[in-house]
Amino acid sequence: MSQALKAAGKDLVEGVRLAPLWGALGWEQTVGRFRRTLLGPFWLSTTLLTMGFALSFVFGAMMGTPWRENFPYVLAGILAWGLVGTGIAEGANMFVNGAGIMQVQRLPLSFYAWLAIFRVLVNFLAQLLTYWAVLLVLGLAAIPSWTLILALPLTFIATLVAGFVVAIPSTRFRDIGLGIGFVIQMLFFLTPIFWHPGKMHGIRGMVVEYNPFTHLVALIREPLLGHAPRLTDWTWGVGWTGGAFVVTYVLIAAFRKRVIFWL
């Protein structure tokens, strides 16, 4: 068992050392999707803007919130969800998507986790530029809180390890991968992205407060809106990351040599 744990630690370290490789490959895969287009990765921003305008217009009216007040909140929420929720959904299929490389090249399992999350990060940064550009044009931009410097790496690592946790069982049992996509879609509506958590009370309020995605989204959205996240958000973010890292370490130790045979 100790040998398996040492091998798991070595796998994680080697994954970090291969940053130039998964960085270059992730960039090429992202840009390759939009080759021969004028906007490139910024096409991803069309989804952000379309959903932001539609949800802020419709739900802002339903909840009696002025459109100009609601739009930055909704847009920042969708942007944060693109890193957190979409990142975990993408991570569920990291080994299946990397099967071609895995079957011809021996690389640490963590390499595929970094590759998957790096692609999500590139998409996030492209949408972040659009977010600031649109809000500046509309006169709705706020000076980001300095806490974004801490919140972004924490959320990035939280998504990385959470994706790894679901990736190994999703590779062995493909129904789990499909189920993860359904669960993430459901959580999109249960997480305060286009509605305000303060309007939920009783059992609904507890569901919101004990939803880890509520706090992971808040860690990104609040600094973008010029506010510091609550201590509760930091606690959930650190706790989620630490717990998922432990599970990831155990999964690598137990199944590191088996994943290739499940592809």
Side-chain angles (χ1 to χ4, degrees):
M1 186 62 181
S2 60
Q3 291 297 325
L5 292 175
K6 289 181 180 179
K10 182 178 180 181
D11 187 292
L12 293 171
V13 171
E14 287 299 317
V16 175
R17 288 179 178 174
L18 289 173
L21 179 59
W22 52 254
L25 183 58
W27 176 260
E28 177 60 28
Q29 289 178 347
T30 303
V31 173
R33 291 175 53 195
F34 303 98
R35 188 166 284 119
R36 298 181 185 274
T37 65
L38 293 177
L39 298 181
F42 287 98
W43 270 112
L44 297 166
S45 303
T46 58
T47 301
L48 172 70
L49 297 177
T50 301
M51 291 185 64
F53 276 112
L55 292 175
S56 61
F57 181 79
V58 174
F59 287 93
M62 291 175 60
M63 297 181 180
T65 306
W67 178 83
R68 290 181 62 84
E69 178 183 328
N70 199 48
F71 181 62
Y73 177 87
V74 173
L75 203 63
I78 297 173
L79 179 62
W81 182 260
L83 177 61
V84 178
T86 305
I88 295 175
E90 288 280 332
N93 297 308
M94 65 174 69
F95 300 128
V96 176
N97 294 336
I101 301 174
M102 190 175 291
Q103 290 170 345
V104 299
Q105 180 69 41
R106 186 175 181 179
L107 293 168
L109 289 185
S110 57
F111 169 86
Y112 301 95
W114 284 107
L115 176 61
I117 195 61
F118 182 76
R119 291 196 301 261
V120 174
L121 180 63
V122 172
N123 297 342
F124 171 82
L125 293 177
Q127 292 180 328
L128 180 62
L129 293 176
T130 303
Y131 166 85
W132 274 324
V134 170
L135 292 189
L136 281 172
V137 170
L138 295 176
L140 299 175
I143 299 176
S145 168
W146 68 269
T147 54
L148 184 64
I149 300 173
L150 303 177
L152 186 56
L154 175 60
T155 310
F156 179 78
I157 298 299
T159 304
L160 172 74
V161 291
F164 213 122
V165 167
V166 298
I168 289 182
S170 296
T171 306
R172 178 64 180 87
F173 305 101
R174 301 300 169 88
D175 292 303
I176 294 179
L178 297 173
I180 291 296
F182 169 78
V183 171
I184 291 296
Q185 191 174 36
M186 180 180 66
L187 285 171
F188 176 81
F189 295 99
L190 294 178
T191 303
I193 295 171
F194 51 89
W195 46 272
H196 292 265
K199 297 183 180 294
M200 297 295 172
H201 305 285
I203 296 179
R204 292 185 179 88
M206 292 180 61
V207 170
V208 172
E209 191 62 26
Y210 288 99
N211 176 3
F213 289 89
T214 296
H215 306 285
L216 291 175
V217 167
L219 284 174
I220 297 296
R221 174 166 56 195
E222 293 304 314
L224 288 176
L225 297 177
H227 314 300
R230 300 176 301 162
L231 179 60
T232 305
D233 299 326
W234 290 110
T235 303
W236 272 91
V238 172
W240 170 278
T241 305
F245 178 80
V246 171
V247 176
T248 293
Y249 200 97
V250 172
L251 287 174
I252 295 176
F255 302 108
R256 184 176 59 87
K257 296 181 179 180
R258 303 185 190 180
V259 173
I260 186 64
F261 298 104
W262 296 340
L263 297 173

